[in-house]
Amino acid sequence: MSLRVGLIQTRTPATHAAALAHVAPLVREAIGQGAQFVLTPECTNVVQKDRAKLLPALTSLEDDPVVNGLRAIAAETGTWIDVGSALVTRPDGDGRAANRQVVIDPAGAIVATYDKLHMFDVDLPTGETARESAAYQPGDAAVVVDTPLAKFGLSICYDMRFPALHRALALAGATVLTVPAAFTRPTGEAHWEVLLRARAIETGSFVMAAAQGGFHEDGRGTWGRSIVVGPWGEIIAQLDHDEPGVLMADLDLPSALSARAAIPALQNARPFAGP
C-alpha cells in the first residue's frame, strides 16, 4: 500500500490573516499533486517571538482562523490535513498558550490534537536564556491517530530529541511519525537531519518533518529543509533550501513492518537496573 503525502514548508508571517493567505495556496498545490495526507509546520498559524504581542493575539482552537481555513480546504477537497501546530489559548486561564498539533479528516472535522510535550528551557554559557515553558503549557500525553490511511504518531519540533516518546508511539502501532518544526538555523544545520534519521531507524518508522524556513517578520531565522525519511533511515524526499514550497513523497507503508522484522529493536528491548 502506497500513501502519497505532501509536506508544506512555510515562512509564516506574524498575523493570522497573512498566515492563512500564505499557507492555503501551498496546501492546495500539494493536494493538486495528489497528496492524500498534508502536513504543515509548527506555528502554522502565526510566528511572533515577542510574547507581549503574541499571546493577546491568540484565539481558542475552535476560533482560530488558520485552522478553520484549513478545515474548509480539507472538507472541500476530501483530504486529510495535519496542522503541524497552531498556537492557541487554553481554557484554564493560567495565561499560557498551547502549541497544538491538529489532525483534520476529509470531512473537515478535528479528529485528534496533541500538545507539545517537551519545552525548550535552557541557560547557555553565553548568558542567553530561553524559556518556552513561560509561554506554553506542555502537554502530558502521547497521541497516535488511527486513520484509514495509516497510524500516525504525533510530535513537534524539540520532541525529536526524546527517543522514548517516538518509541512509545511506535509501540502503540504508529508507522508514520509526524515531526513538524520551526527549528533554529544553528541547531538545524548541526542536528536536523541526523536526529530525524535516528528516530526513523530506532523505530522502523517513516518520519515526516515539515518545517518553517528563512527569516521571518519578527526577525526569527528557521532552518527549512523539510524531509521525509524511510524506516531504514533512507531519505525519501528532501528540500535543500529554506524557501516556502511543497515536498511530495510516496510512502511504501508495508516497508515499515519489514524494517521492524529485520531489526526487531522494539521487541528486543529489556528493562535494566540503573547504574
Side-chain angles (χ1 to χ4, degrees), residues 74 150 192 242 245:
W192 172 251
D242 62 7

Side-chain angles (χ1 to χ4, degrees), residues 155-270:
S155 67
I156 299 172
C157 199
Y158 188 50
D159 284 334
M160 75 175 68
R161 294 186 182 274
F162 299 87
L165 170 59
H166 299 88
R167 176 178 174 81
L169 294 171
L171 286 171
T175 55
V176 182
L177 306 178
T178 64
V179 193
F183 231 61
T184 64
R185 297 178 77 84
T187 54
E189 185 175 12
H191 299 153
W192 172 251
E193 182 180 313
V194 69
L195 284 171
L196 293 166
R197 294 182 73 183
R199 298 297 83 84
I201 293 167
E202 290 164 351
T203 63
S205 302
F206 291 94
V207 170
M208 299 172 55
Q212 295 279 353
F215 290 93
H216 299 254
E217 292 174 16
D218 68 348
R220 180 183 314 195
T222 50
W223 180 239
R225 277 78 175 179
S226 296
I227 189 171
V228 179
V229 183
W232 204 248
E234 74 279 19
I235 297 174
I236 296 174
Q238 183 177 30
L239 296 180
D240 62 359
H241 56 76
D242 62 7
E243 294 297 319
V246 173
L247 178 66
M248 302 297 298
D250 294 301
L251 311 186
D252 178 26
L253 295 176
S255 66
L257 301 181
S258 299
R260 293 177 183 184
I263 302 179
L266 294 175
Q267 286 72 42
N268 290 166
R270 299 180 62 243

Side-chain angles (χ1 to χ4, degrees), residues 32-96:
Q33 294 186 51
Q36 300 163 273
F37 186 95
V38 177
L39 176 67
T40 69
E42 182 182 25
C43 306
T44 291
N45 65 333
V46 62
V47 168
Q48 172 55 264
K49 66 181 179 181
D50 186 339
R51 292 171 186 165
K53 295 179 180 178
L54 172 68
L55 294 176
L58 299 183
T59 71
S60 68
L61 175 61
E62 293 74 19
D63 293 331
D64 185 87
V66 178
V67 172
N68 285 333
L70 294 178
R71 291 180 68 183
I73 293 174
E76 174 195 336
T77 62
T79 307
W80 287 87
I81 298 178
D82 183 338
V83 183
S85 89
L87 309 180
V88 296
T89 58
R90 298 165 55 253
D92 67 5
D94 77 346
R96 291 185 291 174

